[in-house]
Amino acid sequence: MSFQPEYPGRRRRFRTIPVRMLVPNFITLLAICAGLTAIRLSTEGRMELAVAAIVFAAVLDGLDGRVARMIKGQSKFGAELDSLADFVNFGVAPGLILYFWQLHELNNVGWIAAMIFAISAGLRLARFNATMDDPNKPAFAANYFTGVPAPAGAITVLLPIYLAFLGMRMPPAALTTAYTLLIAVLMVSRLPVFSGKTVRMRVPPELVLPVFVAVVFFIALLIGYPWHILSAGTVLYLFSLPVGWKSWRDQQRRAEAAAVAQADGPASDPALPFAPASHEDEQDDRPVRLN
């Protein structure tokens, strides 16, 4: 006597997933592969290839979100996978590269610095996901990150390695450790950092070809002189941090002044003792959620 299980209803069928939803996830998985490969290369002492893999992962990280928005392939799964990839590629991998490159000379102190950097990257990503839809943010806050983002932190923290590849004398291990901790603090800080994600760039038709030539020229420079370009870009980025903070403060003062003027305006007008409520003020002016 055989027992046949009875199903009360029809067997559940999973709906098909469009290919456009999978493409951004494939890019993210490729970035994870690059980050894991960077860890392996650093253990083998091939530091130049390890750093190149981190840079490649950063490029892919900048592409997956833009591709997802372009082909309308955003998903909650993709957002969570992207956060996991950022922690591996820009937290764990750079910390281990720095440890195998020089921080191991300080034994436990160097290992602690590498761990603090990786943990700071994870905390920064968790805070970004938790405060992404904060309704109390002002409208101009969409133009800024809170703290140095993880990809920029990973590229910035590797500056001592870039300089060593240029033939400069390797800095003391204590100095590299202090620099690593400084970048970790900048990632978890409340420092406003200009993001540029909301800047919509429109290229006039007559400038399309020059833009293509400029992009190809930059890529050629990056391939031909990678450590020069990365070193100069890192230094310029560090100098831009105070500029971003000043821009934030200026916009915050203007927003506060506008709010005070709006609050005092109806009360100071004797012709309008009871100002009608504006329907525009009730609308949600929060920025669009960033991927």
Side-chain angles (χ1 to χ4, degrees):
M1 180 177 178
S2 61
F3 176 74
Q4 297 285 342
E6 296 182 359
Y7 296 96
R10 210 190 231 173
R11 181 177 295 180
R12 182 181 177 185
R13 294 182 180 179
F14 295 97
R15 62 183 179 86
T16 59
I17 301 176
V19 176
R20 61 181 174 81
M21 303 290 292
L22 301 178
V23 172
N25 297 329
F26 288 149
I27 297 176
T28 305
L29 290 175
L30 183 60
I32 295 178
C33 293
L36 295 176
T37 303
I39 296 175
R40 175 191 172 181
L41 292 171
S42 65
T43 60
E44 296 173 352
R46 296 188 284 178
M47 292 300 174
E48 292 191 5
L49 293 177
V51 175
I54 295 297
V55 175
F56 181 61
V59 172
L60 293 177
D61 179 74
L63 288 177
D64 59 0
R66 286 169 174 79
V67 170
R69 289 188 291 271
M70 185 182 303
I71 65 176
K72 299 186 183 303
Q74 303 100 319
S75 64
K76 185 177 180 181
F77 175 84
E80 297 298 331
L81 183 63
D82 185 70
S83 295
L84 175 62
D86 288 351
F87 175 65
V88 174
N89 299 336
F90 311 126
V92 177
L96 290 177
I97 290 175
L98 286 168
Y99 178 78
F100 291 125
W101 179 66
Q102 189 184 40
L103 297 185
H104 66 276
E105 298 177 4
L106 298 180
N107 298 323
N108 290 335
V109 175
W111 177 245
I112 291 173
M115 283 197 303
I116 289 177
F117 178 82
I119 291 173
S120 298
L123 293 175
R124 197 254 173 238
L125 292 166
R127 183 180 62 187
F128 174 78
N129 293 334
T131 61
M132 185 180 297
D133 294 326
D134 186 3
N136 298 322
K137 282 186 177 181
F140 64 87
N143 298 320
Y144 299 87
F145 291 122
T146 302
V148 173
I155 299 298
T156 304
V157 79
L158 297 176
L159 178 61
I161 302 182
Y162 307 152
L163 298 178
F165 289 161
L166 289 176
M168 298 181 64
R169 185 177 181 180
M170 184 179 294
L175 182 60
T176 304
T177 300
Y179 178 74
T180 302
L181 295 176
L182 172 63
I183 301 301
V185 170
L186 289 176
M187 286 197 296
V188 297
S189 67
R190 306 293 298 180
L191 179 69
V193 179
F194 184 70
S195 66
K197 282 191 173 184
T198 59
V199 176
R200 297 183 178 181
M201 300 178 61
R202 298 279 183 175
V203 180
E206 63 273 10
L207 294 180
V208 171
L209 291 181
V211 168
F212 277 129
V213 173
V215 171
V216 172
F217 179 69
F218 176 78
I219 294 175
L221 282 179
L222 185 60
I223 295 175
Y225 305 94
W227 315 127
H228 296 80
I229 299 299
L230 290 173
S231 299
T234 299
V235 172
L236 290 176
Y237 182 79
L238 290 175
F239 278 111
S240 72
L241 295 180
V243 177
W245 175 82
K246 184 179 183 303
S247 175
W248 166 277
R249 292 294 299 168
D250 293 341
Q251 294 196 46
Q252 187 180 39
R253 291 192 186 98
R254 286 195 294 266
E256 292 174 353
V260 171
Q262 185 178 6
D264 296 341
S268 61
D269 191 354
L272 296 175
F274 301 98
S278 175
H279 294 286
E280 295 179 357
D281 295 336
E282 298 176 359
Q283 295 180 356
D284 189 2
D285 59 352
R286 287 179 292 171
V288 180
R289 177 169 178 171
L290 302 177
N291 186 14

